[in-house]
Amino acid sequence: VLLLTSAEDLDCIPGFQQKVFHINQPAEFIEDQSILNLTFSDCKGNDKLRYEVSSPYFKVNSDGGLVALRNITAVGKTLFVHARTPHAEDMAELVIVGGKDIQGSLQDIFKFARTSPVPRQKRSIVVSPILIPENQRQPFPRDVGKVVDSDRPERSKFRLTGKGVDQEPKGIFRINENTGSVSVTRTLDREVIAVYQLFVETTDVNGKTLEGPVPLEVIVIDQNDNRPIFREGPYIGHVMEGSPTGTTVMRMTAFDADDPATDNALLRYNIRQQTPDKPSPNMFYIDPEKGDIVTVVSPALLDRETLENPKYELIIEAQDMAGLDVGLTGTATATIMIDDKNDHSPKFTKKEFQATVEEGAVGVIVNLTVEDKDDPTTGAWRAAYTIINGNPGQSFEIHTNPQTNEGMLSVVKPLDYEISAFHTLLIKVENEDPLVPDVSYGPSSTATVHITVLDVNEGPVFYPDPMMVTRQEDLSVGSVLLTVNATDPDSLQHQTIRYSVYKDPAGWLNINPINGTVDTTAVLDRESPFVDNSVYTALFLAIDSGNPPATGTGTLLITLEDVNDNAPFIYPTVAEVCDDAKNLSVVILGASDKDLHPNTDPFKFEIHKQAVPDKVWKISKINNTHALVSLLQNLNKANYNLPIMVTDSGKPPMTNITDLRVQVCSCRNSKVDCNAAGALRFSLPSVLLLSLFSLACL
């Protein structure tokens, strides 16, 4: 009877997990070097576990590791390890491959003190694996096997557990508790579950386990009930045209859910149909076992340019049962593309092309056409054009039209009829991809282009352009600035040229229509809004006598030198100050001048002495462009006009007098009131005159 006391011990079998080991005889076993690990369990926790080795030169550590006690070479052909606890014992055999016999017997080696023998485990339940074919038909349930207990106590019962009994899928198997007969209740499917691991035990009338559980394996026998299927489609293969016979194109493999260890899943492949069937109905062959598709025709028949269709479709059949007629079949379509290689060079449709272009024009002037028998979707067809002669000035370029493969010849630099009325170019064409070794570019891969340049009436050209002069801005009216010069490129036509003003934003200039002399009609002003950074820009036209006339445009840049013709001005012109202010500073004035240095700062700031007494106001210089205006005493709330005189540093200098309006306001409780100052708005001179009049009346 098994010594099992808990549910955790039901699956435990006491003893070594592996009982036979094979190790190669080394040159020497090294002291304390691990040789192998042994695993022993008594299913009770291995309390008081002891190991004994048949050789005194070895030991087993507590973790199960076998080590040598010293360096040793010969130990014989076999070692035995004995393990024991109060509950179980077992022996493992270590075969030394290449070892030599040594004297001694196993009985002499192991001498155990057996004062209390350890009971060896023994089972009375006898079970054998049960084999059941899948897809059985009614009736159910049906008996499929039987469990025998040679030492079964009276009134004990059999109990069956495991997946398929009391675990999902439940209720497939059951056991007659009295006879041990095992039955199946429904049809089985090996492709769902191939093996059921069940357990048998005997119990008393109260359901307490007497013996077991003992493993019972139910094996489902496969039947050929699954067709081969191709699961990895679509299947598309490619092979280069002209490939040698036997070139592998692709591999087709199918899957069969039946038992791979039987012929039910042993597949064989064949080609059922080929479309199209030209030039041969058997262009390809499939390896019946591997599923490799290979070419079987000569390279000459794999010519993409002569094939009716460069795409072939094969119906591939996979049949199980090793291809026997009784086998099940599945099919799939394999698409094979015959890929193009560059075995045809591009050829111009004619040897010479003609083109005409007007002088001065740019753009495409002619499209060069070629023929190529290769696949239009590949670089073996796409053309690349090159100008190899006749383009020293790089006036022409050629590009490929991606839709038509034509060469678009363009003029990128305007041509001049007077220099050359005819051009001849030599063009070559190649493919983007290199040609195959046995094909080369021939005479048809080059062409000549004859280009005729048409004469047109070109506009006169100013020289130089732009034209530049430098003058002082106060130049007197009627002064001559320059005489412009324009020439007609149409030297063979002997035309006359007339001049006119095209753009003169300020209206300062005039041009003689015959000789091109430019003079002034107004005073030039460097500070004018029409002048940018001291440069005034005007445009002139030169018109020839052609029919129709042609026009050329020239630019005149006049750099204006500054003179001191602008007086400086101050800012700000309004200021406020409190009537009780402790700080008598009124405002910081700045000055500016439209002229350029040295006609600007440093500026001189003054109070106009003739109108204001000296003891009320004060002005102090801060720097070259700023000054501080301050009071010498507090004034009553009113508005005052203070004349400020500012002078620049020009030679001669220029002076400007500007009234600074000062508002003296009432400032009480953080409130500033300047309104009342308007009630009596005397200028400071008026206040002073009123004061003098009052004194005279006393």
Side-chain angles (χ1 to χ4, degrees):
V1 178
L2 290 176
L3 301 176
L4 301 177
T5 59
S6 65
E8 290 77 1
D9 298 330
L10 292 179
D11 294 331
C12 183
I13 300 175
F16 283 104
Q17 288 189 2
Q18 182 175 342
K19 299 183 184 298
V20 179
F21 298 83
H22 292 77
I23 58 176
N24 293 321
Q25 169 72 51
E28 186 177 41
F29 290 96
I30 306 301
E31 180 179 356
D32 289 332
Q33 181 174 300
S34 177
I35 301 171
L36 56 83
N37 288 318
L38 302 103
T39 303
F40 173 89
S41 176
D42 66 353
C43 303
K44 296 290 185 179
N46 284 352
D47 184 40
K48 298 180 181 180
L49 171 62
R50 293 178 54 197
Y51 293 98
E52 291 180 294
V53 185
S54 59
S55 170
Y57 304 114
F58 296 86
K59 72 172 183 176
V60 178
N61 294 325
S62 59
D63 62 355
L66 176 68
V67 297
L69 295 175
R70 65 180 178 85
N71 294 350
I72 186 171
T73 56
V75 297
K77 290 186 175 181
T78 308
L79 291 177
F80 295 91
V81 178
H82 184 266
R84 63 178 297 184
T85 72
H87 304 288
E89 64 179 272
D90 202 358
M91 186 178 297
E93 179 181 2
L94 280 64
V95 178
I96 311 298
V97 179
K100 297 181 180 180
D101 285 327
I102 60 173
Q103 300 298 319
S105 65
L106 184 60
Q107 185 176 1
D108 294 333
I109 293 171
F110 291 106
K111 295 181 179 179
F112 303 116
R114 297 184 177 275
T115 55
S116 56
V118 177
R120 298 300 298 267
Q121 294 190 3
K122 177 182 177 183
R123 290 193 177 105
S124 60
I125 298 177
V126 179
V127 297
S128 298
I130 297 175
L131 282 68
I132 307 174
E134 65 173 333
N135 304 323
Q136 284 184 325
R137 298 181 180 179
Q138 294 284 358
F140 291 106
R142 62 170 66 189
D143 292 340
V144 292
K146 189 172 184 180
V147 177
V148 178
D149 189 346
S150 60
D151 191 19
R152 178 183 168 198
E154 291 185 5
R155 301 182 63 191
S156 64
K157 299 180 180 180
F158 289 101
R159 181 162 61 192
L160 189 64
T161 58
K163 293 182 179 179
V165 182
D166 57 346
Q167 300 176 31
E168 293 295 341
K170 295 180 180 180
I172 296 178
F173 303 99
R174 61 192 185 192
I175 190 169
N176 187 306
E177 62 183 18
N178 296 317
T179 66
S181 179
V182 178
S183 60
V184 63
T185 64
R186 69 186 75 162
T187 299
L188 303 182
D189 186 349
R190 192 204 68 86
E191 286 70 46
V192 176
I193 299 178
V195 178
Y196 293 87
Q197 297 289 346
L198 309 180
F199 297 92
V200 179
E201 59 186 344
T202 56
T203 64
D204 61 17
V205 294
N206 296 319
K208 181 180 180 181
T209 300
L210 299 177
E211 183 178 357
V214 176
L216 170 60
E217 189 174 63
V218 178
I219 302 171
V220 183
I221 301 173
D222 185 43
Q223 290 188 339
N224 192 19
D225 57 347
N226 288 276
R227 292 182 178 275
I229 57 174
F230 292 88
R231 301 190 299 184
E232 300 175 359
Y235 296 92
I236 301 176
H238 294 263
V239 63
M240 189 69 68
E241 64 172 328
S243 295
T245 302
T247 300
T248 300
V249 180
M250 60 191 298
R251 172 171 288 187
M252 296 278 288
T253 54
F255 168 77
D256 196 312
D258 290 321
D259 188 351
T262 69
D263 285 355
N264 295 338
L266 184 59
L267 304 182
R268 294 292 182 265
Y269 302 93
N270 70 88
I271 300 175
R272 292 289 302 273
Q273 181 180 330
Q274 170 191 302
T275 305
D277 59 358
K278 301 290 191 314
S280 169
N282 299 305
M283 299 285 289
F284 305 95
Y285 165 80
I286 187 168
D287 186 301
E289 296 183 4
K290 297 179 180 179
D292 289 339
I293 299 176
V294 298
T295 62
V296 293
V297 295
S298 66
L301 290 182
L302 277 181
D303 186 355
R304 186 186 178 281
E305 287 73 39
T306 61
L307 292 176
E308 178 182 311
N309 189 339
K311 180 175 75 173
Y312 286 87
E313 290 189 348
L314 307 180
I315 304 300
I316 305 299
E317 178 184 77
Q319 187 171 25
D320 60 22
M321 297 300 292
L324 296 177
D325 290 342
V326 296
L328 303 177
T329 62
T331 61
T333 299
T335 301
I336 299 177
M337 307 299 298
I338 310 301
D339 291 339
D340 187 39
K341 64 181 179 181
N342 198 8
D343 55 352
H344 294 86
S345 62
K347 299 178 180 180
F348 283 103
T349 57
K350 50 186 178 180
K351 286 298 296 178
E352 295 186 349
F353 294 84
Q354 304 292 330
T356 58
V357 59
E358 291 183 348
E359 65 172 330
V362 295
V364 177
I365 59 174
V366 65
N367 290 314
L368 310 183
T369 54
V370 295
E371 292 178 344
D372 196 317
K373 295 181 180 180
D374 291 313
D375 184 358
T377 64
T378 67
W381 177 82
R382 290 190 292 271
Y385 298 88
T386 307
I387 302 173
I388 59 177
N389 195 13
N391 190 28
Q394 305 300 310
S395 299
F396 302 93
E397 286 183 359
I398 188 166
H399 300 280
T400 304
N401 185 318
Q403 281 74 41
T404 65
N405 216 28
E406 295 176 346
M408 301 182 296
L409 181 63
S410 302
V411 176
V412 294
K413 293 182 180 179
L415 304 176
D416 191 338
Y417 172 84
E418 284 70 31
I419 295 177
S420 177
F422 300 97
H423 297 267
T424 301
L425 304 180
L426 186 61
I427 311 288
K428 75 173 181 179
V429 61
E430 297 177 337
N431 288 131
E432 290 183 2
D433 292 348
L435 295 173
V436 296
D438 56 342
V439 178
S440 61
Y441 295 104
S444 297
S445 296
T446 59
T448 302
V449 182
H450 299 287
I451 302 165
T452 301
V453 182
L454 302 178
D455 188 26
V456 297
N457 187 22
E458 301 171 85
V461 178
F462 283 87
Y463 183 83
D465 189 26
M467 301 161 283
M468 293 180 286
V469 297
T470 300
R471 296 289 186 274
Q472 281 194 341
E473 62 174 324
D474 61 349
L475 187 68
S476 60
V477 175
S479 298
V480 175
L481 297 179
L482 81 164
T483 298
V484 302
N485 178 37
T487 59
D488 192 342
D490 301 307
S491 57
L492 302 178
Q493 299 183 20
H494 305 290
Q495 299 179 122
T496 59
I497 297 175
R498 294 181 62 83
Y499 300 96
S500 65
V501 177
Y502 179 41
K503 287 187 178 180
D504 178 19
W508 292 341
L509 306 176
N510 175 64
I511 188 168
N512 186 302
I514 305 300
N515 61 22
T517 300
V518 179
D519 56 11
T520 61
T521 60
V523 176
L524 307 184
D525 184 5
R526 193 199 66 84
E527 291 75 35
S528 167
F530 300 108
V531 176
D532 182 18
N533 198 24
S534 299
V535 177
Y536 180 71
T537 301
L539 301 179
F540 297 94
L541 297 179
I543 307 168
D544 66 19
S545 57
N547 185 21
T551 302
T553 303
T555 301
L556 172 62
L557 302 179
I558 305 173
T559 300
L560 296 175
E561 295 178 340
D562 186 46
V563 297
N564 195 19
D565 56 350
N566 289 277
F569 57 90
I570 64 168
Y571 59 90
T573 57
V574 177
E576 292 181 357
V577 65
C578 292
D579 57 358
D580 59 350
K582 296 180 180 180
N583 182 1
L584 298 179
S585 297
V586 177
V587 67
I588 293 176
L589 294 179
S592 183
D593 195 316
K594 293 182 179 181
D595 293 319
L596 297 178
H597 192 77
N599 297 321
T600 55
D601 61 272
F603 298 112
K604 181 180 180 182
F605 296 89
E606 298 175 280
I607 298 173
H608 195 36
K609 300 292 185 180
Q610 289 82 353
V612 180
D614 290 337
K615 295 184 179 181
V616 179
W617 304 93
K618 178 182 179 182
I619 189 166
S620 306
K621 178 180 178 180
I622 298 177
N623 54 33
N624 288 344
T625 57
H626 291 79
L628 173 65
V629 176
S630 57
L631 286 167
L632 297 176
Q633 64 187 46
N634 290 109
L635 295 177
N636 293 328
K637 181 179 179 181
N639 292 335
Y640 302 89
N641 288 329
L642 179 65
I644 303 296
M645 183 169 64
V646 58
T647 305
D648 62 25
S649 297
K651 293 182 180 180
M654 295 195 72
T655 301
N656 181 27
I657 300 175
T658 304
D659 282 345
L660 172 65
R661 183 185 180 193
V662 180
Q663 293 178 299
V664 179
C665 306
S666 173
C667 304
R668 302 290 184 271
N669 299 323
S670 301
K671 293 182 179 180
V672 178
D673 181 13
C674 299
N675 293 330
L680 189 63
R681 294 181 180 273
F682 294 117
S683 65
L684 194 56
S686 300
V687 173
L688 294 174
L689 291 173
L690 182 61
S691 299
L692 293 173
F693 178 77
S694 299
L695 290 172
C697 294
L698 291 175

